[in-house]
Amino acid sequence: MAMIELRQLSKAYGAVTALSNLDLSVPEGCLYGLLGPNGAGKTTTLRILATLLAPDGGSVQVDGVDALKHPREVRRLLGYVAQEVAIDKILSGRELLQLQGDLYHLNRADRDHRIDDLIDRLGMEPWIDRRCGTYSGGMRRRLDLAAGLLHRPRLLVLDEPTVGLDIESRSAIWQLLNQLVEAGTSVLLSSHYLEEIEALADRMAIIDAGAVIAEGTPTDLKQRLGGDRVTLRVREFSDAKEAALVRSVLEPVEGVRQVVINRAQGFSLNLVIEGESVIERLRHSLEGAGLPVFALAQSRPSLDDVYLQATGRTLMDAELAIAGQRDIKQEKRQSMR
Ligand code: ATP
């Protein structure tokens, strides 16, 4: 049975469409990764699931319970670790966890046993009795994760849990997530880090512009692509014009299935190739057009390639485009002042 079933979910913030008929089915007992660039709709999806935000349309089922009709029941089932951590500065981490345990009406012995266990598993012992106001980002995130786990939820929902974290905090969180899944907890995690999804997820969905555009296990998604990947540069830093010229030379070559310009990587070119001797033919065509080969690397498909295939751009380019739109909006606002 599915732990989460989202059907035809839609949500707009004024003129901005955040979710557009999003469908998602998360099986019980696995770690499910939601991959997408900033602004894809991940936080909106997770907040709706955590019953903190109402969708404009669609249905939300958690463990067979209708979350829109029975939000309290669903809140008991899940733990939600938000992207922005808001914790009290005066209390110590331990006091904060005790308070959280009391809010869940845990009996004191059970509460303290559980807190000690989480302190141990998340490596929080050296600093848990210090005031939260002195914590680093990584410490706050670990504390927040512990707070989300205190009532032993069957489903843990995390919004980009390791953004900007130090390696130690990240590995403490990854390790705990793996242990939780082994013990039967279902985990849904959003991320825009390919390596995080690659390392943790049993299954995943790629979300872009408020809809799921690819779904499956990371291995299946990569295998479905077929072919090999080639990254090619005619010089260290090229420009848009030259990259377009190179693409026009490469596209007609036999065995080349796709050529995409990768702006984020100095206008290099990403190719999908299939068949024998394609590399030799590529080199030959470039030579014929008077173009040098500065660098050429061939590899098996990666998750970034899956993203590229589904959206026509790399994850990094999607983030650059979104950051660019934000800058333009900001400039407009400033010029109107
Ligand atoms: P990020 O990783 O940056 O949080 P995300 O994938 O979680 O991105 P959402 O936060 O769900 O994306 O945002 C989806 C879209 O909705 C974006 O275009 C965002 O700017 C917009 N949006 C989100 N919250 C609001 C809000 N409160 N008011 C207006 N627009 C919003």
Side-chain angles (χ1 to χ4, degrees), residues 232-244 246 261 263 265-269 291:
L232 182 117
R233 292 173 189 275
V234 292
R235 70 184 74 246
E236 192 170 7
F237 296 107
S238 203
D239 59 22
K241 199 170 155 210
E242 188 173 53
V246 179
I261 297 172
R263 285 178 51 220
Q265 298 292 326
F267 290 96
S268 61
L269 289 114
L291 290 161

Side-chain angles (χ1 to χ4, degrees), residues 124-146:
M124 303 192 292
E125 188 60 54
W127 43 265
I128 197 69
D129 292 305
R130 263 169 40 194
R131 282 182 176 196
C132 295
T134 66
Y135 289 176
S136 70
M139 293 171 181
R140 283 206 292 274
R141 276 264 104 171
R142 282 190 257 176
L143 179 63
D144 209 40
L145 176 55

Side-chain angles (χ1 to χ4, degrees), residues 17 43 52 62 67 137 180 182 205 213 241 243 248 272 283-284 302 321:
T17 302
T43 300
L52 298 171
V62 180
L180 287 168
E182 259 169 44
I213 53 169
K241 199 170 155 210
S248 72
V272 180
R283 285 186 185 277
H284 186 70
S302 68

Side-chain angles (χ1 to χ4, degrees), residues 12-177:
Y13 301 100
V16 179
T17 302
L19 299 183
S20 162
N21 299 323
L22 180 134
D23 288 320
L24 188 74
S25 181
V26 176
E28 194 178 351
C30 78
L31 194 148
Y32 197 98
L34 212 51
L35 177 73
N38 288 131
K42 303 181 298 294
T43 300
T44 303
T45 306
L46 300 188
R47 283 177 57 82
I48 290 174
L49 189 60
T51 76
L52 298 171
L53 186 70
D56 297 336
S59 66
V60 182
Q61 300 255 336
V62 180
D63 202 22
V65 179
D66 183 331
L68 304 179
K69 286 199 186 123
H70 307 288
R72 274 168 160 254
E73 213 173 311
V74 166
R75 274 181 221 167
R76 245 177 263 131
L77 278 171
L78 63 78
Y80 176 58
V81 182
Q83 204 174 67
E84 301 293 334
V85 187
I87 54 176
D88 188 278
K89 290 196 168 103
I90 307 293
L91 294 179
S92 73
R94 189 188 301 274
E95 286 165 342
L96 202 119
L97 291 175
Q98 287 166 342
L99 184 68
Q100 181 92 358
D102 293 342
L103 291 174
Y104 279 115
H105 305 292
L106 301 182
N107 76 54
R108 185 160 292 203
D110 190 27
R111 178 197 77 177
D112 290 344
H113 173 72
R114 183 82 182 137
I115 289 173
D116 286 342
D117 178 50
L118 286 165
I119 289 172
D120 183 42
R121 287 164 74 176
L122 281 160
M124 303 192 292
E125 188 60 54
W127 43 265
I128 197 69
D129 292 305
R130 263 169 40 194
R131 282 182 176 196
C132 295
T134 66
Y135 289 176
S136 70
M139 293 171 181
R140 283 206 292 274
R141 276 264 104 171
R142 282 190 257 176
L143 179 63
D144 209 40
L145 176 55
L149 283 169
L150 217 48
H151 63 300
R152 294 193 176 87
R154 293 191 43 218
L155 167 65
L156 180 67
V157 177
L158 306 115
D159 197 358
E160 308 216 8
T162 63
V163 165
L165 289 197
D166 56 287
I167 291 172
E168 189 200 325
S169 297
R170 191 179 80 164
S171 79
I173 290 176
W174 282 14
Q175 207 178 338
L176 181 64
L177 294 181

